[in-house]
Amino acid sequence: MKLIPTILCGGAGSRLWPVSRELHPKPFIRLADGQSLLQKAWLRGAILPDVAEMLTVTNRELLFKTEDEYRAVSVISGNRTNHFILEPFGRNTAPAIAAAALHVAESYGEDACMLVLAADHLIADQPAFAHAVKQATQLALQGKLVTFGIKPDAPETGYGYIEADIDSHLTKTGGYPVLRFVEKPTLEKAEEYLASGRYLWNSGMFCFQAGSMLREMEQHCPSILEATRACIAQSRIAEGKGFSQLDLDAATFELVPDDSIDYAVMEKSSNVAVVPCCIGWSDIGSWTALGDLAAPDAQGNRIEGEVILHDVSNCYIQSKQRIVGAVGVKDLVIIDTPDAVLIADRSRAQDVKYLYSRLKADGHEAHRLHSTVHRPWGTYTVLESGTHFKIKRIEVKPGASLSLQMHHHRSEHWIVVSGMARVVNGEHELFVNTNESTYIPAGHKHRLENPGLLTLVMIEVQSGEYLGEDDIVRFEDIYGRTQK
């Protein structure tokens, strides 16, 4: 049997703003052990037996960041081949799974099993998870579409539910036919579901043979399947050592209907089974849920970072860079980041998404980017900005290079803080060492490269009438970002 863990890495994680942003979504949030939710999801699949490759469906703007995350933990599980399906924009889970199933069927045959995992869930019990996957693959090999149902321990109103036919065992290992999927219930209904013993939380994880899913899609959502197939036919494939990627064509992908796999297939199919499991699962859907991962002090406060408290109880406070002081408050969530601070009542943590939506509607950059922005070549951090100027701290990885580019409206001063830079400035190429600088006039073609073995750190001072990130024309780029 070939098993292909398939990680769906999308969404904005709006309820975890300000740490989660559009270009730094929830899967990239790091927990106390230093690993991100995305890294944990990758390891969760990579260490299973019979894995043929690790498949990730994500936004193309997150590719290099995702590769960095995987590279940092690949030594734990041994090197796995990574295949990426890159979306130009989100189209929900049904198109993502359609593209993944078409790839797996083409590469490994329709009998290959796919294990679909969310990139932003936490599973605390890996052995129990591996056992549940073994149960699910047994059912998948019988042609079933299998979902993982979490045994509820509370009348939770924030999750969808699955009603299982508990009187009909599909296997000796405990799989059941699914009678129906239920939307997030009222508290009264959730209590009823919990008491019945027939309902499970819908985890959003699935297992099935690629061919089984494609046949169900042909029956229940043929427009999604055919539009996705047409898109793949127009898309580019790139391959390298230990990786390959399918870059979905934007024009044809826009024609793919937007729908979730639950609505498009799972709720319509009569061929769905559920494996009940207790695996320490959480979808980390709010700051309250994330805060509950930290140990409380005697007053019920959960703290991450340097915090000073006086007469404070039942608060979750996170601050990675600055000291936070709190006096005489209770039941609050306080999240401090370099460019935004969140203060919320713990009981209203789900409503943080409304702040995110407001920022997005207003076009505020705080919904999309942090002050530190990741790029394929490294990072830049905006230190200060004002009328006609902006100051950045730039870090370039060893051997990395920015694109050969030009700006119409701004000039740039570069000062090397540590390391050495190779610079193209107009018709000239020069090396700039520590404590040296160079000036790039507006309209000059230029490129910055780190030829050394250590990280290049420099300060960039921009000046001009317009300093937006879209004032850039790329002529050459090793990361494929040049304009056509």
Side-chain angles (χ1 to χ4, degrees), residues 114-372:
M114 298 172 60
L115 174 65
V116 177
L117 304 173
D120 55 2
H121 291 178
L122 183 65
I123 292 176
D125 192 337
Q126 178 69 26
F129 170 72
H131 179 67
V133 171
K134 185 177 180 180
Q135 293 176 291
T137 53
Q138 291 176 1
L139 292 168
L141 291 173
Q142 299 173 24
K144 297 291 184 182
L145 306 185
V146 186
T147 184
F148 295 80
I150 308 302
K151 295 178 181 177
D153 56 10
E156 177 62 56
T157 59
Y159 300 143
Y161 283 72
I162 300 167
E163 184 180 6
D165 184 357
I166 60 175
D167 299 321
S168 302
H169 282 269
L170 290 172
T171 68
K172 294 180 180 179
T173 56
Y176 302 99
V178 169
L179 294 176
R180 61 172 178 149
F181 290 81
V182 183
E183 291 297 313
K184 298 175 182 178
T186 63
L187 179 59
E188 183 180 9
K189 275 290 183 184
E191 290 172 342
E192 179 184 319
Y193 294 163
L194 181 64
S196 75
R198 302 176 63 88
Y199 289 83
L200 304 159
W201 291 336
N202 186 357
S203 71
M205 301 186 298
F206 309 99
C207 185
F208 44 76
Q209 289 180 309
S212 298
M213 176 53 74
L214 293 175
R215 286 186 289 273
E216 293 284 342
M217 286 189 144
E218 285 174 355
Q219 179 180 352
H220 300 296
C221 57
S223 60
I224 291 177
L225 181 60
E226 290 310 309
T228 304
R229 185 179 277 120
C231 175
I232 290 175
Q234 299 297 318
S235 301
R236 296 180 301 165
I237 298 176
E239 294 182 326
K241 186 177 180 180
F243 84 96
S244 62
Q245 66 188 54
L246 172 65
D247 195 350
L248 296 177
D249 175 70
T252 51
F253 192 63
E254 193 169 15
L255 303 176
V256 181
D258 182 320
D259 205 354
S260 73
I261 195 66
D262 283 340
Y263 289 144
V265 176
M266 305 301 285
E267 294 185 5
K268 298 175 181 177
S269 175
S270 59
N271 193 36
V272 181
V274 61
V275 171
C277 49
C278 294
I279 54 178
W281 173 88
S282 172
D283 73 344
I284 314 294
S286 69
W287 280 115
T288 302
L290 190 61
D292 286 346
L293 299 178
D297 63 15
Q299 287 72 45
N301 298 305
R302 302 170 190 267
I303 304 300
E304 293 184 39
E306 191 171 4
V307 176
I308 301 175
L309 304 177
H310 177 72
D311 191 23
V312 172
S313 62
N314 198 34
C315 289
Y316 174 53
I317 304 175
Q318 182 190 104
S319 178
K320 300 297 177 68
Q321 293 187 328
R322 293 181 287 198
I323 296 176
V324 170
V327 177
V329 296
K330 63 180 180 179
D331 301 325
L332 293 182
V333 172
I334 302 173
I335 309 297
D336 179 58
T337 69
D339 65 338
V341 178
L342 168 70
I343 303 171
D345 188 292
R346 280 178 60 92
S347 67
R348 302 286 301 278
Q350 294 281 352
D351 292 346
V352 173
K353 62 186 178 184
Y354 297 117
L355 302 182
Y356 177 93
S357 297
R358 175 68 179 273
L359 290 167
K360 186 173 183 177
D362 291 346
H364 198 294
E365 280 290 279
H367 92 275
R368 187 168 184 268
L369 298 168
H370 282 279
S371 56
T372 295

Side-chain angles (χ1 to χ4, degrees), residues 81-100:
T81 298
N82 282 299
H83 183 84
F84 296 91
I85 297 176
L86 304 179
E87 298 176 322
F89 36 77
R91 267 293 183 264
N92 218 316
T93 54
I97 289 176

